[in-house]
Amino acid sequence: MPNDPHHLSPIGLTVPVTASACVTAIVPARNEEAVIAACIASLANQPEIAEILVVNDQSTDGTAGVVRSLMEKIPNLRLLESSRLPDGWVGKNHALWVGVQQAKCAWLLFTDADAEHERNSASRALQLAQEHNAALVSFSPEQITGTWYEKSLIPYIYLRLARRFSYGQVNDPNSRAAAANGQFLMMHRDVYDAIGGHTGVAGEVLEDVALAMRTKAAGHRIWFGSGNSIVRVRMYRSFQEMWQGWKKNLYRLMGGTPWAVVREMESNIPWIPLLLIAAGLKYPFLLFLGVLLLIARQTSYGLDLARNHFPFSSVFYYVPAVVLYLAVLWASYRSHVNGRIQWKGREYSVGAPESAR
């Protein structure tokens, strides 16, 4: 069927992107009363998005009520209810799978309830899919930070992730590197089904990375890049929420092995400046030299921030950023080693990453 716009080649996808490309946006929502309205409004403004499916994942707040009130104004908005969480599933993955079962479009846009989209987010993703013949397009959203702890930890982690998941390597079809961000992840439905969809990554904490790995391993192209001026997210609104979120994910993101944790800690602690500052208690010149080296390291961090679209002013949070990063990395390691993680009122048993089995 060479003329069929949905035809799949044996080793990849001929991406069927046209002016009338149809996108289904699927939003998992568990206790998202405070943010869900802004997300839906930003999706409803996009003509490429033919339907918006919000999956209420057993919320105990007013999430469902907010969505129902918006359905009166947004005709393509639907509210779905997620049933009891089956064994072996992570809640978000199950909610997304429930949404996919009701989706009618050839493209699936998975996005979080706290994401706010510009009017061009879907059209830009479709354009990139066409330009790069990609079956999966994902943006790393612009991160909105309000408190000192957000300004400290979130930019620091994203710079570490940028070193680990280079856009160039991820987008290179000849490289095995694969990554995506579940805050904006768009896939062609045929490829989603072919690789097993969320049933294939049911128990994965990092389902976005796992989907990207499966997509690329199946011979399809992926495109991953910056979402600045396309989609923005404020991930956490309390210290506890931020701590639990990164505690859940960070160990896996940084390699998922004890040795990877050791390497991360060794490379992030400013050993030499700290040793010189300690020695400076006896030899004042060494104190001066240690402070100078710490400032130099902080300045280098500031340049990295600017290159990665974070405000340079976050450089002043360098020291608390390092402390928080090392602390939450260690906590994440301990949680995964103990085999239990918690998120949004649920506890999950974790073992070896699906991608490593």
Side-chain angles (χ1 to χ4, degrees), residues 32 55 107 112 206 228 248 317:
E32 302 287 2
V55 185
W107 287 93
D112 286 354
L206 296 177
N228 267 47
K248 170 175 66 80
Y317 298 95

Side-chain angles (χ1 to χ4, degrees), residues 43-288:
L43 294 169
N45 283 330
Q46 304 191 50
E48 296 80 10
I49 298 177
E51 55 180 353
I52 305 167
L53 306 180
V54 176
V55 185
N56 182 30
D57 185 15
Q58 300 183 313
S59 296
T60 56
D61 66 357
T63 297
V66 172
V67 178
R68 289 192 189 97
S69 67
L70 291 171
M71 288 169 62
E72 300 173 4
K73 308 171 187 175
I74 304 172
N76 63 339
L77 172 64
R78 292 171 60 197
L79 176 65
L80 307 176
E81 296 289 340
S82 178
S83 60
R84 184 185 66 83
L85 186 63
D87 291 342
W89 281 81
V90 170
K92 178 183 178 181
N93 300 345
H94 183 247
L96 291 171
W97 179 83
V98 168
V100 171
Q101 306 318 298
Q102 301 295 319
K104 298 182 176 121
C105 291
W107 287 93
L108 305 171
L109 170 57
F110 304 118
T111 187
D112 286 354
D114 54 5
E116 292 186 40
H117 299 250
E118 297 297 333
R119 289 182 63 91
N120 67 332
S121 74
S123 62
R124 180 62 179 143
L126 290 169
Q127 179 187 3
L128 287 165
Q130 184 178 46
E131 289 176 358
H132 300 278
N133 194 31
L136 183 156
V137 173
S138 183
F139 295 123
S140 181
E142 178 182 349
Q143 297 297 321
I144 306 302
T145 55
T147 61
W148 71 267
Y149 49 82
E150 293 171 275
K151 294 176 188 293
S152 300
L153 185 59
I154 290 175
Y156 195 90
I157 286 180
Y158 271 86
L159 293 193
R160 298 307 300 172
L161 292 175
R163 289 173 180 264
R164 180 167 174 79
F165 299 106
S166 155
Y167 292 149
Q169 286 186 324
V170 169
N171 298 339
D172 181 357
N174 298 315
S175 168
R176 294 181 60 188
N181 189 314
Q183 294 163 334
F184 187 111
L185 193 159
M186 193 180 79
M187 284 191 73
H188 194 274
R189 175 66 182 267
D190 288 345
V191 172
Y192 175 88
D193 289 338
I195 66 170
H198 282 93
T199 58
V201 298
E204 287 278 6
V205 176
L206 296 177
E207 89 293 338
D208 44 11
V209 176
L211 284 172
M213 292 177 68
R214 282 173 167 256
T215 300
K216 201 168 190 182
H220 306 290
R221 291 194 174 193
I222 63 178
W223 190 93
F224 184 37
S226 171
N228 267 47
S229 302
I230 298 173
V231 57
R232 61 187 180 275
V233 171
R234 184 176 181 187
M235 294 176 67
Y236 308 114
R237 284 168 170 76
S238 72
F239 185 87
Q240 182 180 15
E241 192 177 274
M242 183 185 75
W243 183 267
Q244 283 194 342
W246 289 118
K247 183 179 174 182
K248 170 175 66 80
N249 291 336
L250 197 56
Y251 176 66
R252 293 286 179 88
L253 283 169
M254 291 305 162
T257 67
W259 179 239
V261 172
V262 170
R263 286 200 309 267
E264 270 298 292
M265 290 197 159
E266 186 278 329
S267 63
N268 282 273
I269 296 175
W271 295 104
I272 296 177
L274 291 179
L275 289 172
L276 288 173
I277 290 171
L281 297 175
K282 186 174 182 180
Y283 304 102
F285 174 73
L286 295 180
L287 175 62
F288 170 76

